[in-house]
């Protein structure tokens, strides 16, 4: 199948563990080695995540331009041999290639190829891409790609990019850069809702190499979920690591909801916001907007009074200390943190999931959602807190312990909800690792998804009357 004689599209059975297919191309079972894409034609991009392009993978194909993503480390012998129409290869991360990761042996003889690399990597590219001084590589030309671009308009799901220098100044001629090559994106216009959430439809392209976004004068607003991402959705800027504020855009509450972990920087031209240890705060540092870049054991800045919803969502924090003075915490502020083992709440916190409108007669309905998805986290509450309390196992309750707000998941086979609990609130208990859940005789109500992930789990009620159940309560 790899001798250059076959121009077929591959369709691999899902049960096959040795190989897989994507868009008709053949990969090894891990998806990290591209084995055969000989039916490809025109301009193609090797998917992000691929680490090696195999022997004769493109041999004899009709490709004209190939883009190798950041993840590629090796291009094997004759990978692009007999590709008569191939004239350009864009390499997003030449420094990531092994010492002989792309050599003259990756091509056939007599081919004239232009290799484009980001300017920042140009000094090392000659040594990494070809053997220095080898006369057989004279047919390879190395050019620099546009690493800097300015986004000057973004309307009706269409955007306009122009080339700029490293300070964001537009270059003469207003040349349009290849979106695949841009590493630093300067934005001088308003950012609409969901702008960078997923790959663009129609003529819009992803920006796979962007790692830094700079918000400049002209960017006055960032819409809802503008940078949100989901593991099941291919994000437009999958390698984004830094957002720098040089302007004062207004933010809606959900501007950075669900954003992938990024660090924030604030320049002198921005007076509305501040940055500290990669976190984004309001200028007076009383509101923590986003700290998804937090790693390990962290303490929130002592000036903070309000923690925005999703502020540390999906961060790699392992322990979070909320200092005295914090009053309000939004929903999922500490949610879905896979490494999170403990949260410490002070006496001052009295408004949990403040952005959710709870019923007047039940202020605790959504309170436990501040830690939703961080199922292993143990919660400790200062004993002087007038609103909530915790127990020795790290569960979170109303002050009188009649409402169970959150119970950390353990390896215990039986989950015992303590006597005295009358209400189990929204998403309070995960039964993922349990064989049985036993409810107390005092239980009167279970809220929406109050006890979830109960596959093949025995449920035991001990109360004389069955509790009232909310939507999908169990």
């Amino acid at each position: 199948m790899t001798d250059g004689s076959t121009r077929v599209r591959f369709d691999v059975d899902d049960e096959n563990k040795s190989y897989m297919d994507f868009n008709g191309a053949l990969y090894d079972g891990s998806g990290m080695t591209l084995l055969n894409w000989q039916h490809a034609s025109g301009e193609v991009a090797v998917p992000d995540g691929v680490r090696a392009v195999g022997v004769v993978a493109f041999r004899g194909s009709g490709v004209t331009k190939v883009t190798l993503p950041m993840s590629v480390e090796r291009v094997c012998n004759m990978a692009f041999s007999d590709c008569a129409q191939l004239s350009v290869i864009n390499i997003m991360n030449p420094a990531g290639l092994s010492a002989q990761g792309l050599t003259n042996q990756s091509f056939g003889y007599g081919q004239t190829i232009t290799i484009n690399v980001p300017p920042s990597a140009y000094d090392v590219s000659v040594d990494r891409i070809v053997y220095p001084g080898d006369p057989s590589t004279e047919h390879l030309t190395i050019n620099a790609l546009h690493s800097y671009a300015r986004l000057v308009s973004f309307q009706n799901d269409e955007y306009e990019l122009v080339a700029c220098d490293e300070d964001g100044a537009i270059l003469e001629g207003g040349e349009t850069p290849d979106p695949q090559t841009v590493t630093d994106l300067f934005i001088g216009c308003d950012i609409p809702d969901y702008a960078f959430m997923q790959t663009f439809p129609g003529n819009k392209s992803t920006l796979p190499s962007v790692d830094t976004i700079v918000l400049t004068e002209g960017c006055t607003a960032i819409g809802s979920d503008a940078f949100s991402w989901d593991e099941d959705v291919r994000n437009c800027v999958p390698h984004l690591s830094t957002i720098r504020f040089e302007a004062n855009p207004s933010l809606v509450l959900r501007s950075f909801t669900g954003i992938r972990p990024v660090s924030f920087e604030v320049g002198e031209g921005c007076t509305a916001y501040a940055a500290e240890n990669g976190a984004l705060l309001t200028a007076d540092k009383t509101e923590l907007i986003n700290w998804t870049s937090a790693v390990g054991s962290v303490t929130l800045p002592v000036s903070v009074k309000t923690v925005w919803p999703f502020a540390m969502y999906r961060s790699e924090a392992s322990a979070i200390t909320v200092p005295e003075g914090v009053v309000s915490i939004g929903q999922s502020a500490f949610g879905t943190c896979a490494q999170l083992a403990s949260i410490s709440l002070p006496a001052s916190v009295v408004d949990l999931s403040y952005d959710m409108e709870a019923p007047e007669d039940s202020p605790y309905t959504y309170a436990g959602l501040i830690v939703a998805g961080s199922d292993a986290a143990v919660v400790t509450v200062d004993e002087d807190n007038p609103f909530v309390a915790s127990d020795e196992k790290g569960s979170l309750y109303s002050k009188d312990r009649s409402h169970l707000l959150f119970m950390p998941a353990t390896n215990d086979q039986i989950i015992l909800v303590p006597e005295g609990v009358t209400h189990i609130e929204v998403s309070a208990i995960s039964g993922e690792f349990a064989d049985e859940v036993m409810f107390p005789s005092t239980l009167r109500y279970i809220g929406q998804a109050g006890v979830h992930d109960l596959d093949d789990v025995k449920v035991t009620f001990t109360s004389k009357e069955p509790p009232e159940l909310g939507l999908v309560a169990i």
Side-chain angles (χ1 to χ4, degrees):
M1 289 186 296
T2 58
D3 62 359
S5 62
T6 305
R7 302 289 180 270
V8 298
R9 297 178 65 89
F10 290 87
D11 186 3
V12 180
D13 190 284
D14 291 341
E15 299 299 320
N16 191 314
K17 304 303 181 184
S18 298
Y19 301 97
M20 61 183 294
D21 68 274
F22 181 71
N23 288 339
L26 181 67
Y27 299 80
D28 70 347
S30 69
M32 292 189 290
T33 299
L34 172 58
L35 299 175
N36 188 303
W37 199 358
Q38 295 173 1
H39 73 275
S41 61
E43 299 182 5
V44 299
V46 174
D48 189 33
V50 171
R51 298 177 63 179
V53 179
V55 176
V56 301
F58 284 91
R59 184 175 183 178
S61 69
V63 293
T64 58
K65 181 169 76 171
V66 176
T67 296
L68 303 180
M70 297 283 290
S71 56
V72 168
E73 299 173 352
R74 182 168 180 81
V75 179
C76 297
N77 288 350
M78 308 303 285
F80 297 104
S81 62
D82 299 327
C83 295
Q85 301 176 63
L86 178 61
S87 60
V88 176
I89 297 178
N90 294 330
I91 301 176
M92 309 321 305
N93 187 22
L97 289 169
S98 58
Q100 297 179 2
L102 179 64
T103 74
N104 57 300
Q105 296 180 36
S106 301
F107 309 93
Y109 294 101
Q111 288 177 271
T112 300
I113 306 291
T114 296
I115 296 178
N116 294 328
V117 299
S120 59
Y122 185 80
D123 291 338
V124 299
S125 65
V126 175
D127 292 333
R128 292 291 179 96
I129 296 173
V130 299
Y131 296 119
D134 187 340
S136 65
T137 64
E138 292 179 356
H139 56 282
L140 298 180
T141 302
I142 299 177
N143 291 335
L145 294 166
H146 287 295
S147 286
Y148 305 102
R150 189 172 182 85
L151 192 152
V152 294
S153 69
F154 201 147
Q155 296 179 348
N156 301 322
D157 291 331
E158 296 292 339
Y159 67 66
E160 180 184 357
L161 287 180
V162 295
C164 68
D165 63 20
E166 60 184 5
D167 295 320
I170 296 175
L171 298 177
E172 287 187 20
E175 182 179 349
T176 301
D178 181 353
Q180 299 282 321
T181 72
V182 175
T183 60
D184 293 66
L185 182 64
F186 294 79
I187 301 180
C189 61
D190 291 351
I191 304 175
D193 297 347
Y194 313 108
F196 295 97
M197 184 173 181
Q198 57 189 343
T199 53
F200 299 135
N203 343 347
K204 292 172 69 178
S205 172
T206 58
L207 299 160
S209 302
V210 168
D211 58 30
T212 300
I213 285 179
V214 182
L215 307 176
T216 65
E217 185 178 357
C219 180
T220 63
I222 300 177
S224 179
D225 290 293
F227 295 97
S228 294
W229 71 288
D230 188 283
E231 293 176 350
D232 298 324
V233 177
R234 187 180 175 190
N235 188 255
C236 173
V237 281
H239 294 105
L240 180 65
S241 62
T242 303
I243 297 178
R244 180 174 176 81
F245 282 66
E246 292 289 356
N248 289 318
S250 61
L251 307 178
V252 299
L253 192 61
R254 298 179 66 88
S255 288
F256 297 112
T257 297
I259 191 174
R260 65 186 306 112
V262 298
S263 291
F264 289 88
E265 299 175 356
V266 173
E268 294 180 358
C270 179
T271 57
Y273 305 102
E276 184 175 319
N277 295 325
L280 180 67
L281 304 98
T282 52
D284 60 4
K285 296 189 177 182
T286 60
E287 298 182 33
L288 176 63
I289 299 171
N290 188 284
W291 196 10
T292 51
S293 61
V295 176
S297 180
V298 297
T299 299
L300 273 56
V302 295
S303 57
V304 169
K305 306 297 182 186
T306 299
V307 181
W308 279 34
F310 296 90
M312 300 179 71
Y313 186 72
R314 286 180 177 158
S315 76
E316 294 184 9
S318 58
I320 298 174
T321 299
V322 181
E324 184 66 30
V326 172
V327 176
S328 303
I329 301 175
Q331 66 160 314
S332 293
F334 313 126
T336 317
C337 298
Q339 310 298 322
L340 188 58
S342 65
I343 299 173
S344 177
L345 299 179
S348 57
V349 170
V350 294
D351 194 359
L352 302 182
S353 296
Y354 69 86
D355 54 311
M356 303 286 288
E357 188 174 345
E360 290 185 6
D361 60 343
S362 183
Y364 295 104
T365 298
Y366 303 111
L369 291 182
I370 63 168
V371 69
S374 299
D375 292 335
V378 171
V379 181
T380 303
V381 181
D382 188 292
E383 61 182 13
D384 292 330
N385 188 297
F387 184 66
V388 289
S390 59
D391 64 12
E392 65 280 357
K393 292 186 175 181
S395 297
L396 182 65
Y397 301 86
S398 60
K399 184 63 178 179
D400 64 2
R401 301 199 180 191
S402 64
H403 293 246
L404 176 61
L405 314 180
F406 171 78
M407 176 180 285
T410 67
N411 292 323
D412 294 344
Q413 293 182 324
I414 300 178
I415 296 176
L416 295 174
V417 179
E419 283 291 328
V421 170
T422 60
H423 290 67
I424 296 176
E425 300 296 359
V426 174
S427 296
I429 302 175
S430 171
E432 182 177 2
F433 304 109
D435 294 327
E436 181 179 0
V437 178
M438 184 172 293
F439 296 112
S441 62
T442 52
L443 187 63
R444 299 292 177 264
Y445 177 78
I446 302 177
Q448 181 177 346
V451 187
H452 51 92
D453 296 326
L454 293 181
D455 294 338
D456 299 320
V457 175
K458 179 182 178 182
V459 176
T460 301
F461 292 97
T462 60
S463 55
K464 294 181 179 180
E465 298 292 332
E468 180 184 350
L469 301 179
L471 183 65
V472 198
I474 298 179

